[in-house]
Each structure stands twice: as C-alpha cells, then as structure tokens.
Amino acid sequence: MGIQKLAGKNDLFAFSSAFLTGYLAGIPLGRFELHGAFTSLTEHVMAAQSYTAFWSVWCSWFAAAFLQASLIYLCGFHLWGSIFMGAYFAFKGTVLGVCASAIYASGGARALVVYWLLNCLPELVLSAFMLWLAHSSCRVSQSLSSIVFSGCRCALNGAIRRLSVHYLLCLLGCAVSSFMFSGSAVLFASVLL
C-alpha cells in the first residue's frame, strides 16, 4: 500500500525517472556486454530498405504503440499496476539505451544520429503518450487498492471511464504521430542512408 501511495502522488516523476535510469543503465550494457547480440538490429536500422514503404513503417510503429498502450491500460486494473508500469518504463529505457549504445559502437556518431532521427525521436513521443496514459492508469490502480485495503469505493467508475477515454485518445495521438514520423522516416532514410 505504501509503494502504491508513493507512486500515485508522484507517478509521472517516478515513471520518467525509471525511464531515464533504464536508459542510462542500458548504455554500458550496449557498449560492453551485449554488442555482438545487436548486430542484426544495427543492420536493420541502418538499412534503407527498412524505410522505403510508408505503410509498413506506419503499421509497425502503430502496432508497437497499440501493444504498449494496451499493456498500460491493463496495468490499471491490477493492484500492483504502478509497480508494473514503473518496470515497463525502466525496461523501455534500458532497451533504447542498449540499442543506441550498440549502434554507436558499431557505426559511430553518424549511425547514432540516423538512429535518433529515425527511431528514438518517435519513441520519445510515444513514451510521452504512454506517460500520460500511465498517469490515468495509476489512478485506477490506486482506486482498486483503496477498495481492497480500506473498503472505500472512491470514484472507481469515474477513474475507469477517464482511463478508457485517455486510452482511446492515446491511440489516436499515436496513430497521428506515427503517420507523421513514418513520412519523415521515409524522407530521412532516402537522404541519410
């Protein structure tokens, strides 16, 4: 209950900190220990044919956004949802840090800039949408824990409705931003790769 309350009061700060901590922790992992495991990732990111078809780029980015938003939405219906969402943001930051570091180690600064323009910038916008959704999801999780531990039904229905609306708005925002970033990725890839 104490962790739930702490995460609820400062959930956006806690989730952002988990993301940044994961990112910073992922940098040495990508440079020193996991470099060989990410050679196919580096080849995929630096391959121009990965960004030639606008529709396939949009579909892959929106599918990833849909799965992540659905995960955060469902975390709201668990008593420990805040902990799971914190782990999600830490893991996402770690993966981005490992990928950036591995790409820099294998391709240098130019490859890192291309990676940031084509992949990290859209991921950061997606993460901002996920943070906004996680804030609403955390409220539902808090309401559930207050029902279980104190018997108080403090605005659970309103929190669920608000989370559902935020989920749909998040998907709409992710679809629009994926559309814009898919176009820019196809354009940047034709120039940079």
Side-chain angles (χ1 to χ4, degrees):
M1 181 72 176
I3 293 174
Q4 210 48 352
K5 248 185 194 177
L6 179 66
K9 291 187 183 214
N10 300 315
D11 54 4
L12 290 177
F13 178 74
F15 297 150
S16 301
S17 297
F19 178 81
L20 184 60
T21 303
Y23 186 83
L24 294 175
I27 291 173
L29 289 174
R31 291 193 73 190
F32 301 115
E33 296 180 19
L34 301 175
H35 172 61
F38 286 95
T39 54
S40 63
L41 170 74
T42 306
E43 292 169 0
H44 173 72
V45 168
M46 298 307 291
Q49 61 267 23
S50 299
Y51 305 99
T52 54
F54 170 82
W55 182 247
S56 69
V57 173
W58 182 85
C59 286
S60 65
W61 281 351
F62 183 69
F66 175 77
L67 290 175
Q68 293 175 49
S70 298
L71 174 73
I72 290 175
Y73 179 79
L74 292 175
C75 280
F77 296 98
H78 196 280
L79 292 177
W80 298 333
S82 299
I83 296 168
F84 293 147
M85 286 182 274
Y88 157 78
F89 283 109
F91 179 73
K92 182 172 181 159
T94 303
V95 168
L96 288 177
V98 165
C99 292
S101 181
I103 286 174
Y104 178 75
S106 66
R110 182 182 185 281
L112 184 63
V113 169
V114 170
Y115 172 72
W116 266 89
L117 285 173
L118 296 178
N119 290 311
C120 277
L121 192 58
E123 281 296 326
L124 289 176
V125 171
L126 174 67
S127 295
F129 281 116
M130 296 304 137
L131 277 170
W132 178 66
L133 182 62
H135 182 66
S136 295
S137 188
C138 194
R139 298 292 174 245
V140 172
S141 180
Q142 288 172 343
S143 296
L144 285 174
S145 67
S146 69
I147 289 171
V148 169
F149 293 113
S150 66
C152 171
R153 287 189 61 91
C154 31
L156 178 63
N157 291 337
I160 291 174
R161 273 194 303 274
R162 190 170 30 260
L163 174 61
S164 298
V165 169
H166 286 182
Y167 173 71
L168 293 174
L169 289 174
C170 179
L171 288 179
L172 179 64
C174 288
V176 170
S177 65
S178 294
F179 183 83
M180 290 172 23
F181 282 117
S182 297
S184 66
V186 170
L187 178 68
F188 285 143
S190 66
V191 173
L192 297 173
L193 297 178

